[in-house]
Amino acid sequence: MIPSQSAKITALRIGAMNFDVSDTMLNSFRTNVQHIPANKFLLQDGEDGGKIIVVIDGWLSTSKTSLHGEVQLIDFVLTGDVADPTAADGKTAGLDVEAVTDALVCIIPLTIWHTMLAASPKLARANEHVQAAERARLSERMLRLGRGSAESRIAYALIELSLRLRPLGLLENVSFHLPLTQRHIGDFTGLTAVHVCRTLRRFVRNGVVETADHMDIRINDLKALSEIAGVEPARLAAEITPVPD
Amino acid sequence: MIPSQSAKITALRIGAMNFDVSDTMLNSFRTNVQHIPANKFLLQDGEDGGKIIVVIDGWLSTSKTSLHGEVQLIDFVLTGDVADPTAADGKTAGLDVEAVTDALVCIIPLTIWHTMLAASPKLARANEHVQAAERARLSERMLRLGRGSAESRIAYALIELSLRLRPLGLLENVSFHLPLTQRHIGDFTGLTAVHVCRTLRRFVRNGVVETADHMDIRINDLKALSEIAGVEPARLAAEITPVPD
DNA sequence: CGCCGATTTGAGTTCAGTCAATTTTGGTGG
DNA sequence: CCACCAAAATTGACTGAACTCAAATCGGCG
């Protein structure tokens, strides 16, 4: 999970597609690999942006912090995802980007990124899919932030994350591990950690999910959980998961 | 405001940039102009997507509807904005797109749109800025949906909309018109129309804003309103408003 | 003029937040 | 291995902001 500082990579995933990084056009993927320790910020809101971050391994989060210090996670950024924190001015970052776990990333200046996209239609298409998936996720989550109950928000989060982990090979049948605290889930769903706890316990009590040590989740009754989340898992997967070309 | 069905346009705005549509590369802008009456859906969640919508004039909204029929507005799409409802599968729409007012739009198939972007770096850059602005707005709003009070959400919405109307010449000093009902604002902020009413009344009582007939808004005390919204207007404008090149 | 939707206001309810105490967990150093 | 500490999780009691239900008024339009 924690490769050495300047790790050598040969193949790299963007969305559902794999790229051979020996291609000179994609050189930047090889020469800009960085290892980031857990809980470290890669970038903070208002700082100099103008670069994108491709995740090779690990979990990142994007977030915003209110003036009173409350945090809202905007998205989790997983293997094959591309975080673009750039605001409308094209220069500053409009988001915090933080490593949730130890992570391996490529950080690429926007100018170079644009060159790469222009040179590789396949990369451009993969990037399109990744962006579309992110937009779809944000919309789904905004719907629940604005209109959903605590149960619905958390149920949705569990389903979304399980669907995203599946193509990464991190979903075993109906079980998966979340490298998150209840506070993370609260910041993700707009709830307090206390209420996340209560709600998860209720799910467990009702037999909808099971939990083992530190966020090993097992969905026991996907039908019930989907009902609570207000979601059809198959349709959702198609909308938020990048597909191979 | 309501040009004829197949209006002739010569110049067109994307973000903060203007384009001469006589350029053959941008032909599609001229040949795909449509007038859409208020309250009509251009596209619904799950339908065939694969096209983008450029707004020439008027207000559109993008939204999601829960299985129980509750609506969450995701964004307003104004002159110079580009709505891309495409989900991760690249085919279906992940959003509803609806005309809030009578509107004039270009609807362009994704394949053609990509050709246009590849052919015109200026257009591609303008599109980048527009997308970045939208992402920044969504993040700001997610922060308030998840963590903000009703007052904060509505104050933020008023400031965001005033900032977006300014470059369109629709902000007069500190006054502007919103072609919205309180229900729209509720769907936008994740509140009930009743509570929007109460909160707006409180703002008026406290002298923060004034309202005249049907949503003519006047911000009397921007300092106080910004405080409530938890926002620095100048910084926000830079992050959510596309800038000229 | 009458109708329907939007707005306004009041009264009561409820879901999630706050505050607080306790237990569990994981990591660290002796 | 064990003692200790800090962070995370759990649970209870209470509070409060936003929701629901309901009624009255306003406004535009056929």
Side-chain angles (χ1 to χ4, degrees):
Chain A
M1 171 60 158
I2 310 172
S4 65
Q5 184 68 21
S6 58
K8 295 188 200 78
I9 60 167
T10 56
L12 175 137
R13 178 190 191 116
I14 308 276
M17 295 185 226
N18 292 307
F19 291 83
D20 179 357
V21 172
S22 65
D23 185 338
T24 47
M25 224 40 257
L26 306 178
N27 238 325
S28 304
F29 282 140
R30 263 192 293 115
T31 56
N32 290 295
V33 177
Q34 285 186 40
H35 176 259
I36 314 286
N39 302 315
K40 176 165 177 187
F41 283 91
L42 285 84
L43 214 52
Q44 290 195 266
D45 193 351
E47 281 183 4
D48 195 31
K51 55 193 101 169
I52 60 96
I53 298 160
V54 181
V55 178
I56 302 172
D57 194 24
W59 289 51
L60 308 187
S61 67
T62 55
S63 62
K64 298 276 295 183
T65 303
S66 76
L67 296 180
H68 309 305
E70 296 142 311
V71 174
Q72 176 68 46
L73 293 195
I74 305 300
D75 202 14
F76 289 113
V77 193
L78 310 184
T79 300
D81 288 327
V82 181
D84 182 354
T86 315
D89 60 13
K91 297 191 192 68
T92 60
L95 287 171
D96 297 337
V97 182
E98 186 177 1
V100 175
T101 66
D102 287 341
L104 202 62
V105 302
C106 291
I107 301 180
I108 301 178
L110 268 182
T111 50
I112 298 181
W113 180 239
H114 288 146
T115 312
M116 293 169 74
L117 291 176
S120 166
K122 185 185 170 197
L123 180 61
R125 217 158 39 244
N127 184 53
E128 278 284 322
H129 285 164
V130 169
Q131 301 301 331
E134 186 194 346
R135 280 201 311 272
R137 288 197 300 272
L138 293 197
S139 306
E140 290 287 347
R141 255 181 273 121
M142 282 183 84
L143 172 59
R144 274 138 196 109
L145 281 177
R147 298 303 189 183
S149 64
E151 288 202 348
S152 151
R153 295 185 202 184
I154 292 179
Y156 173 81
L158 293 178
I159 292 176
E160 181 195 305
L161 291 173
S162 77
L163 291 178
R164 293 184 69 192
L165 292 174
R166 188 168 56 188
L168 303 180
L170 297 173
L171 176 68
E172 294 178 11
N173 196 13
V174 289
S175 301
F176 53 98
H177 174 74
L178 298 182
L180 307 173
T181 64
Q182 294 182 349
R183 162 186 280 274
H184 281 122
I185 299 179
D187 289 343
F188 189 51
T189 54
L191 301 166
T192 57
V194 170
H195 204 64
V196 170
C197 179
R198 283 187 220 286
T199 307
L200 273 177
R201 286 305 108 220
R202 196 177 321 143
F203 284 170
V204 171
R205 250 197 330 274
N206 297 344
V208 181
V209 306
E210 268 175 60
T211 65
D213 44 28
H214 220 283
M215 291 287 147
D216 281 345
I217 309 281
R218 183 191 160 81
I219 298 178
N220 274 332
D221 188 344
L222 179 58
K223 190 134 185 303
L225 197 64
S226 311
E227 192 81 26
I228 297 169
V231 134
E232 297 171 49
R235 188 137 145 12
L236 183 63
E239 291 197 347
I240 69 169
T241 305
V243 291
D245 217 17
Chain B
M1 169 60 156
I2 310 172
S4 66
Q5 184 67 20
S6 57
K8 295 189 202 78
I9 59 165
T10 57
L12 175 137
R13 179 193 190 114
I14 308 276
M17 296 187 223
N18 292 308
F19 291 83
D20 181 357
V21 172
S22 64
D23 185 337
T24 46
M25 224 40 256
L26 306 178
N27 238 324
S28 304
F29 281 140
R30 262 192 295 115
T31 55
N32 291 294
V33 178
Q34 284 187 41
H35 176 258
I36 314 286
N39 302 314
K40 176 165 177 187
F41 283 92
L42 284 85
L43 213 53
Q44 290 195 263
D45 194 351
E47 280 182 5
D48 194 32
K51 55 192 101 168
I52 60 94
I53 299 161
V54 181
V55 178
I56 302 172
D57 194 24
W59 288 51
L60 307 188
S61 68
T62 55
S63 63
K64 298 276 296 182
T65 304
S66 78
L67 296 180
H68 308 305
E70 296 144 311
V71 174
Q72 177 67 46
L73 293 195
I74 305 300
D75 202 14
F76 289 112
V77 193
L78 310 183
T79 300
D81 288 329
V82 181
D84 181 354
T86 316
D89 61 13
K91 297 191 192 69
T92 60
L95 285 172
D96 297 337
V97 183
E98 185 177 3
V100 175
T101 66
D102 287 342
L104 202 62
V105 303
C106 290
I107 300 181
I108 301 178
L110 269 181
T111 49
I112 298 182
W113 179 240
H114 287 147
T115 312
M116 293 170 74
L117 291 175
S120 166
K122 185 184 169 197
L123 180 61
R125 214 156 43 241
N127 184 52
E128 278 284 323
H129 285 163
V130 168
Q131 301 301 332
E134 186 193 347
R135 281 201 311 272
R137 288 197 299 273
L138 293 198
S139 307
E140 290 286 348
R141 255 182 271 121
M142 282 184 84
L143 172 60
R144 273 138 197 109
L145 280 178
R147 298 304 190 182
S149 63
E151 289 203 347
S152 152
R153 295 185 201 184
I154 293 180
Y156 173 82
L158 293 178
I159 292 175
E160 180 195 305
L161 292 173
S162 77
L163 292 177
R164 294 184 68 191
L165 292 174
R166 189 168 58 188
L168 303 180
L170 297 173
L171 177 68
E172 294 178 9
N173 196 14
V174 288
S175 301
F176 53 98
H177 175 73
L178 298 182
L180 306 173
T181 64
Q182 293 182 350
R183 161 186 281 275
H184 281 122
I185 298 179
D187 290 343
F188 189 50
T189 54
L191 301 166
T192 58
V194 170
H195 205 64
V196 169
C197 179
R198 283 187 220 286
T199 307
L200 274 177
R201 284 308 107 221
R202 197 177 321 143
F203 284 170
V204 171
R205 245 192 340 270
N206 297 345
V208 181
V209 305
E210 268 176 60
T211 64
D213 44 29
H214 220 283
M215 291 288 147
D216 281 345
I217 309 283
R218 182 191 160 83
I219 298 177
N220 273 332
D221 188 344
L222 179 58
K223 190 134 184 304
L225 197 64
S226 311
E227 192 81 28
I228 297 169
V231 134
E232 297 170 50
R235 188 138 147 8
L236 182 64
E239 292 197 346
I240 69 169
T241 307
V243 291
D245 218 13

PDB file of all heavy atoms in Angstrom, chain A residues 214-228:
ATOM      1  N   HIS A 214     -13.355  -1.397  13.008  1.00  0.00           N
ATOM      2  CA  HIS A 214     -13.027  -0.159  12.316  1.00  0.00           C
ATOM      3  C   HIS A 214     -13.481  -0.129  10.865  1.00  0.00           C
ATOM      4  O   HIS A 214     -12.678  -0.144   9.940  1.00  0.00           O
ATOM      5  CB  HIS A 214     -11.525   0.141  12.415  1.00  0.00           C
ATOM      6  CG  HIS A 214     -11.300   1.594  12.645  1.00  0.00           C
ATOM      7  ND1 HIS A 214     -11.404   2.511  11.630  1.00  0.00           N
ATOM      8  CD2 HIS A 214     -11.048   2.289  13.753  1.00  0.00           C
ATOM      9  CE1 HIS A 214     -11.189   3.715  12.118  1.00  0.00           C
ATOM     10  NE2 HIS A 214     -10.972   3.605  13.405  1.00  0.00           N
ATOM     11  N   MET A 215     -14.773  -0.098  10.716  1.00  0.00           N
ATOM     12  CA  MET A 215     -15.346   0.228   9.411  1.00  0.00           C
ATOM     13  C   MET A 215     -15.188  -0.857   8.353  1.00  0.00           C
ATOM     14  O   MET A 215     -14.986  -0.538   7.182  1.00  0.00           O
ATOM     15  CB  MET A 215     -14.757   1.550   8.885  1.00  0.00           C
ATOM     16  CG  MET A 215     -15.205   2.758   9.662  1.00  0.00           C
ATOM     17  SD  MET A 215     -16.926   3.168   9.318  1.00  0.00           S
ATOM     18  CE  MET A 215     -17.441   3.825  10.906  1.00  0.00           C
ATOM     19  N   ASP A 216     -15.239  -2.096   8.757  1.00  0.00           N
ATOM     20  CA  ASP A 216     -15.496  -3.149   7.784  1.00  0.00           C
ATOM     21  C   ASP A 216     -17.004  -3.282   7.689  1.00  0.00           C
ATOM     22  O   ASP A 216     -17.672  -3.672   8.647  1.00  0.00           O
ATOM     23  CB  ASP A 216     -14.875  -4.486   8.234  1.00  0.00           C
ATOM     24  CG  ASP A 216     -13.393  -4.532   7.966  1.00  0.00           C
ATOM     25  OD1 ASP A 216     -12.911  -3.682   7.187  1.00  0.00           O
ATOM     26  OD2 ASP A 216     -12.714  -5.401   8.523  1.00  0.00           O
ATOM     27  N   ILE A 217     -17.515  -2.951   6.514  1.00  0.00           N
ATOM     28  CA  ILE A 217     -18.966  -2.888   6.342  1.00  0.00           C
ATOM     29  C   ILE A 217     -19.420  -4.098   5.547  1.00  0.00           C
ATOM     30  O   ILE A 217     -18.776  -4.513   4.591  1.00  0.00           O
ATOM     31  CB  ILE A 217     -19.365  -1.618   5.563  1.00  0.00           C
ATOM     32  CG1 ILE A 217     -18.728  -0.381   6.189  1.00  0.00           C
ATOM     33  CG2 ILE A 217     -20.869  -1.502   5.476  1.00  0.00           C
ATOM     34  CD1 ILE A 217     -19.395   0.121   7.402  1.00  0.00           C
ATOM     35  N   ARG A 218     -20.539  -4.629   5.949  1.00  0.00           N
ATOM     36  CA  ARG A 218     -21.147  -5.699   5.186  1.00  0.00           C
ATOM     37  C   ARG A 218     -22.614  -5.365   4.990  1.00  0.00           C
ATOM     38  O   ARG A 218     -23.353  -5.179   5.971  1.00  0.00           O
ATOM     39  CB  ARG A 218     -20.997  -7.031   5.951  1.00  0.00           C
ATOM     40  CG  ARG A 218     -21.538  -8.223   5.227  1.00  0.00           C
ATOM     41  CD  ARG A 218     -21.583  -9.436   6.181  1.00  0.00           C
ATOM     42  NE  ARG A 218     -22.498 -10.424   5.662  1.00  0.00           N
ATOM     43  CZ  ARG A 218     -22.174 -11.288   4.709  1.00  0.00           C
ATOM     44  NH1 ARG A 218     -20.942 -11.324   4.246  1.00  0.00           N
ATOM     45  NH2 ARG A 218     -23.070 -12.132   4.247  1.00  0.00           N
ATOM     46  N   ILE A 219     -23.019  -5.267   3.745  1.00  0.00           N
ATOM     47  CA  ILE A 219     -24.423  -4.948   3.454  1.00  0.00           C
ATOM     48  C   ILE A 219     -25.215  -6.248   3.460  1.00  0.00           C
ATOM     49  O   ILE A 219     -25.062  -7.084   2.579  1.00  0.00           O
ATOM     50  CB  ILE A 219     -24.557  -4.237   2.096  1.00  0.00           C
ATOM     51  CG1 ILE A 219     -23.792  -2.917   2.119  1.00  0.00           C
ATOM     52  CG2 ILE A 219     -26.021  -3.999   1.762  1.00  0.00           C
ATOM     53  CD1 ILE A 219     -23.811  -2.142   0.815  1.00  0.00           C
ATOM     54  N   ASN A 220     -26.054  -6.407   4.462  1.00  0.00           N
ATOM     55  CA  ASN A 220     -26.815  -7.639   4.603  1.00  0.00           C
ATOM     56  C   ASN A 220     -28.107  -7.624   3.791  1.00  0.00           C
ATOM     57  O   ASN A 220     -28.571  -8.660   3.348  1.00  0.00           O
ATOM     58  CB  ASN A 220     -27.167  -7.880   6.075  1.00  0.00           C
ATOM     59  CG  ASN A 220     -26.064  -8.604   6.793  1.00  0.00           C
ATOM     60  OD1 ASN A 220     -25.304  -9.363   6.187  1.00  0.00           O
ATOM     61  ND2 ASN A 220     -25.952  -8.370   8.093  1.00  0.00           N
ATOM     62  N   ASP A 221     -28.682  -6.461   3.659  1.00  0.00           N
ATOM     63  CA  ASP A 221     -29.975  -6.366   2.990  1.00  0.00           C
ATOM     64  C   ASP A 221     -29.943  -5.166   2.043  1.00  0.00           C
ATOM     65  O   ASP A 221     -30.388  -4.068   2.357  1.00  0.00           O
ATOM     66  CB  ASP A 221     -31.079  -6.198   4.045  1.00  0.00           C
ATOM     67  CG  ASP A 221     -32.466  -6.282   3.420  1.00  0.00           C
ATOM     68  OD1 ASP A 221     -32.572  -6.169   2.177  1.00  0.00           O
ATOM     69  OD2 ASP A 221     -33.438  -6.461   4.167  1.00  0.00           O
ATOM     70  N   LEU A 222     -29.383  -5.416   0.848  1.00  0.00           N
ATOM     71  CA  LEU A 222     -29.204  -4.326  -0.118  1.00  0.00           C
ATOM     72  C   LEU A 222     -30.541  -3.737  -0.529  1.00  0.00           C
ATOM     73  O   LEU A 222     -30.660  -2.543  -0.752  1.00  0.00           O
ATOM     74  CB  LEU A 222     -28.447  -4.835  -1.359  1.00  0.00           C
ATOM     75  CG  LEU A 222     -28.214  -3.794  -2.448  1.00  0.00           C
ATOM     76  CD1 LEU A 222     -27.436  -2.606  -1.903  1.00  0.00           C
ATOM     77  CD2 LEU A 222     -27.494  -4.395  -3.639  1.00  0.00           C
ATOM     78  N   LYS A 223     -31.555  -4.593  -0.598  1.00  0.00           N
ATOM     79  CA  LYS A 223     -32.875  -4.112  -0.990  1.00  0.00           C
ATOM     80  C   LYS A 223     -33.357  -3.039  -0.006  1.00  0.00           C
ATOM     81  O   LYS A 223     -33.771  -1.955  -0.411  1.00  0.00           O
ATOM     82  CB  LYS A 223     -33.848  -5.295  -1.009  1.00  0.00           C
ATOM     83  CG  LYS A 223     -35.194  -5.017  -1.627  1.00  0.00           C
ATOM     84  CD  LYS A 223     -35.611  -6.132  -2.593  1.00  0.00           C
ATOM     85  CE  LYS A 223     -36.914  -5.770  -3.290  1.00  0.00           C
ATOM     86  NZ  LYS A 223     -38.007  -5.512  -2.292  1.00  0.00           N
ATOM     87  N   ALA A 224     -33.269  -3.368   1.279  1.00  0.00           N
ATOM     88  CA  ALA A 224     -33.722  -2.411   2.290  1.00  0.00           C
ATOM     89  C   ALA A 224     -32.872  -1.149   2.278  1.00  0.00           C
ATOM     90  O   ALA A 224     -33.387  -0.029   2.365  1.00  0.00           O
ATOM     91  CB  ALA A 224     -33.681  -3.063   3.675  1.00  0.00           C
ATOM     92  N   LEU A 225     -31.552  -1.335   2.146  1.00  0.00           N
ATOM     93  CA  LEU A 225     -30.651  -0.181   2.164  1.00  0.00           C
ATOM     94  C   LEU A 225     -30.918   0.732   0.960  1.00  0.00           C
ATOM     95  O   LEU A 225     -30.925   1.966   1.100  1.00  0.00           O
ATOM     96  CB  LEU A 225     -29.191  -0.653   2.158  1.00  0.00           C
ATOM     97  CG  LEU A 225     -28.148   0.375   2.580  1.00  0.00           C
ATOM     98  CD1 LEU A 225     -28.334   0.797   4.024  1.00  0.00           C
ATOM     99  CD2 LEU A 225     -26.728  -0.146   2.360  1.00  0.00           C
ATOM    100  N   SER A 226     -31.155   0.140  -0.199  1.00  0.00           N
ATOM    101  CA  SER A 226     -31.458   0.925  -1.405  1.00  0.00           C
ATOM    102  C   SER A 226     -32.751   1.703  -1.216  1.00  0.00           C
ATOM    103  O   SER A 226     -32.866   2.865  -1.629  1.00  0.00           O
ATOM    104  CB  SER A 226     -31.618   0.008  -2.610  1.00  0.00           C
ATOM    105  OG  SER A 226     -30.560  -0.889  -2.707  1.00  0.00           O
ATOM    106  N   GLU A 227     -33.714   1.017  -0.616  1.00  0.00           N
ATOM    107  CA  GLU A 227     -34.999   1.641  -0.313  1.00  0.00           C
ATOM    108  C   GLU A 227     -34.786   2.898   0.532  1.00  0.00           C
ATOM    109  O   GLU A 227     -35.289   3.981   0.216  1.00  0.00           O
ATOM    110  CB  GLU A 227     -35.859   0.636   0.462  1.00  0.00           C
ATOM    111  CG  GLU A 227     -37.303   1.022   0.610  1.00  0.00           C
ATOM    112  CD  GLU A 227     -38.088   0.673  -0.658  1.00  0.00           C
ATOM    113  OE1 GLU A 227     -37.662  -0.262  -1.383  1.00  0.00           O
ATOM    114  OE2 GLU A 227     -39.095   1.345  -0.905  1.00  0.00           O
ATOM    115  N   ILE A 228     -33.995   2.733   1.604  1.00  0.00           N
ATOM    116  CA  ILE A 228     -33.724   3.864   2.494  1.00  0.00           C
ATOM    117  C   ILE A 228     -32.991   4.971   1.745  1.00  0.00           C
ATOM    118  O   ILE A 228     -33.276   6.154   1.904  1.00  0.00           O
ATOM    119  CB  ILE A 228     -32.887   3.397   3.701  1.00  0.00           C
ATOM    120  CG1 ILE A 228     -33.679   2.387   4.526  1.00  0.00           C
ATOM    121  CG2 ILE A 228     -32.482   4.579   4.565  1.00  0.00           C
ATOM    122  CD1 ILE A 228     -32.845   1.671   5.574  1.00  0.00           C
TER     123      ILE A 228
END
